[in-house]
Amino acid sequence: MTLSFGTLLEFLISWIVSAVIIYIALKIFPGKQQRENITGALIAALIGEIIFAFFNLIRIPFGNLLAIIVWLYALRKLFGVGWLGAVVIAILIYILSLIVSLIGLPHLL
C-alpha cells in the first residue's frame, strides 16, 4: 500500500469531519463531559479509527462487536461518562454520521 498525497488528504478530511460529528454529539448530550472540546473530539475520532482498524486487521470472530465495546470503553474514559452515557454518545455519533453520509462527506467512524 502506497501512501499518496490524496490518501493522506482524504484521511485528514475524514478525521476532521468525524471530529466535528463527535463534537456536535458531545454538545447535544446533556451535562458537562471531560474534554468536551474539539481537541477531545479529534482524539476520540483518532482512537476510534485505531480501534476499528486493529479489529479489522486481526479478523477475529465478532471483531466488530469487540471493537464497539472497546470504543465505548474509550469514550467512557475520554469523556468521563458511564456506560450508558457512552452508548448514548455513540448512538448520537452514528445518527450524525448517517446524516453526513447522506450529504456525501467522508468520515472515519
Side-chain angles (χ1 to χ4, degrees):
M1 180 175 119
T2 60
L3 182 63
S4 68
F5 177 74
T7 304
L8 181 61
L9 186 61
E10 183 180 343
F11 172 78
L12 289 174
I13 291 170
S14 299
W15 182 29
I16 291 168
V17 170
S18 294
V20 170
I21 290 169
I22 293 170
Y23 179 76
I24 293 169
L26 289 171
K27 291 301 180 183
I28 293 171
F29 187 76
K32 181 74 175 156
Q33 291 72 243
Q34 297 172 357
R35 293 180 197 84
E36 188 180 316
N37 53 38
I38 196 67
T39 304
L42 283 165
I43 292 168
L46 187 60
I47 288 174
E49 176 59 21
I50 291 169
I51 290 168
F52 282 96
F54 172 76
F55 280 97
N56 282 331
L57 182 68
I58 62 173
R59 297 183 187 267
I60 59 173
F62 304 106
N64 283 337
L65 179 62
L66 290 172
I68 290 169
I69 293 168
V70 172
W71 190 56
L72 290 174
Y73 179 78
L75 289 176
R76 284 186 65 229
K77 292 301 180 182
L78 278 170
F79 301 118
V81 296
W83 282 104
L84 183 60
V87 168
V88 171
I89 291 170
I91 290 170
L92 288 171
I93 292 168
Y94 176 77
I95 292 168
L96 292 169
S97 294
L98 181 62
I99 293 168
V100 167
S101 293
L102 292 173
I103 294 170
L105 294 174
H107 54 88
L108 293 177
L109 302 172

